[in-house]
Amino acid sequence: MNYSPLILSLKTATIATFIVFVTGVVLARLISRNSFRGKSVIEAIILLPLVLPPTVVGFGLLYIFGKNGFIGRLLLDWFDFQIVFTWYAVVIAAVVVSFPLMYQSASAAFRQYDPNIENAAYTMGASKWRVFWTISFPLAWPGLLAGLVLSFARALGEFGATLMLAGYIPNVTDTIPLAIYFAVESGNLEAAKFWVIIIVALGFSAILWLNWWSKRNMMRHVQK
Amino acid sequence: MLIVEIQKRLSHFELDVKFSVANEIVVLFGPSGSGKTTILNCIAGISKPAAGIIRLNDTILFENKKVFVPIQKRNIGYVFQDYALFPHMTVWKNIAYGMQNESFVKNLMKELRIEHLRDKYPSEISGGEKQRVAIARAIATEPDALLLDEPFSALDNQTRVKGHEELLRIHKLWRIPIILVTHHLEEAKKLGNRILYLHEGKIRDSEMNANLIQS
Ligand SMILES: Nc1ncnc2c1ncn2[C@@H]1O[C@H](COP(=O)(O)OP(=O)(O)OP(=O)(O)O)[C@@H](O)[C@H]1O
Ligand SMILES: [Mg+2]
């Protein structure tokens, strides 16, 4: 058995989730509580990958990162580096499809507590940085964690955009979902079954753990 | 001395007030939606007036388009309408968050009879206790002025009267300008050195108006 799909999937999904978590939290914190012109347009763009077919997302990414794409061209000219068909492409596809989930969870998480809790901290002289780490982040944490788990699961399961941007190159871009598809296609049902079981187990344990965790933490300071 | 002059367009009317508060308790009295919280938010730096000037002692906190001192720098204590305690911190952590001087805070907690609550979370204490914690928290920073937004409105009569006494005592100990918002006329008369009757964003100076407002 070749375990490269498992390792590749875990590696790319973890990196993608990290990127998505940091940018999603920052962006949600900046945008969600404010109202400004063009906010709904920005939010619509952020959420777009959620409603588009993954192939369309993949097509768009090829358009940007492909040899003749805006960024792809720059990378090629400056660093002689082609991103398509590498594991970086797998990460990019995973970031784009899971970002809306993280953003949505984070922006809901930052809106669900009373803004005066933050204002109270400000009136006590706390800096923005301190208020973020001692008030906003801990209060939003349950929602942020849910977003994190969802994003990870989504990144792990990404198929369409990955195939378009990264292709199927054994040992390089063969994530578990791709491995399943091509195993079935080549009639290797044993291998397909194996990977199906692995990915179901991963998804299931992620959800179980999240439920267990949030139950445990909800008990702590629920408003009675 | 706190000097307030604010103009701001609200959804149904224009907020336009001018008043000053010496080291006394001034009550802002008016019906729901008359702009009381908005005035406090402007003084605290949470909202921005369209025009006007806000001065605390020798510092200009806001002046038209020229000066806007951010909330963190104003040193104004604020007890919010729903207290806004930090739900994930114990009473002690809440109060110590902006603390200047530990022994001062410990005395304050004794004064407000909340020492025994120090390790409880806000969800574990009563409404009257929350209100005292919120007041302690606002004063723990040793502010130059104190804003209280209907701090007694959620309390039963007995607790409310105790709260009144405590506020008067704190004011005696801690001589700073205090603005108290209420829509309880008796409370306003009992606690206020002066009462400002607010109606649709404007201050009416006669008590007759107050009776009209309340009816
Ligand atoms: N940021 C804002 N911009 C415009 N209008 C606002 C804003 N905040 C509140 N308002 C409106 O201003 C008016 C006054 O609101 P405010 O909260 O100051 O009233 P209040 O006197 O504190 O009422 P209550 O006794 O119910 O707390 C309301 O009509 C409200 O809808
Ligand atoms: Mg109000």
Side-chain angles (χ1 to χ4, degrees), chain B residues 37-91:
Chain B
T37 300
T38 309
I39 292 174
L40 297 193
N41 283 348
C42 287
I43 297 170
I46 294 165
S47 304
K48 209 172 189 165
I53 184 164
I54 300 171
R55 215 181 76 198
L56 179 55
N57 302 326
D58 296 326
T59 318
I60 294 179
L61 300 179
F62 172 83
E63 188 176 358
N64 291 320
K65 305 237 146 38
K66 288 185 298 210
V67 185
F68 183 84
V69 176
I71 317 177
Q72 301 98 298
K73 301 264 162 66
R74 294 198 176 193
N75 201 25
I76 293 178
Y78 195 161
V79 176
F80 289 85
Q81 198 155 4
D82 40 17
Y83 307 139
L85 296 176
F86 308 136
H88 58 307
M89 294 185 194
T90 60
V91 164

Side-chain angles (χ1 to χ4, degrees), chain B residues 8-13 15 30-41 47 81 149-150 181-183 198 201:
Chain B
K8 185 178 170 71
R9 174 94 222 129
L10 299 179
S11 40
H12 305 295
F13 52 81
L15 181 67
S32 190
S34 55
K36 306 182 297 290
T37 300
T38 309
I39 292 174
L40 297 193
N41 283 348
S47 304
Q81 198 155 4
D149 199 350
E150 303 193 26
V181 162
T182 177
H183 46 221
L198 194 70

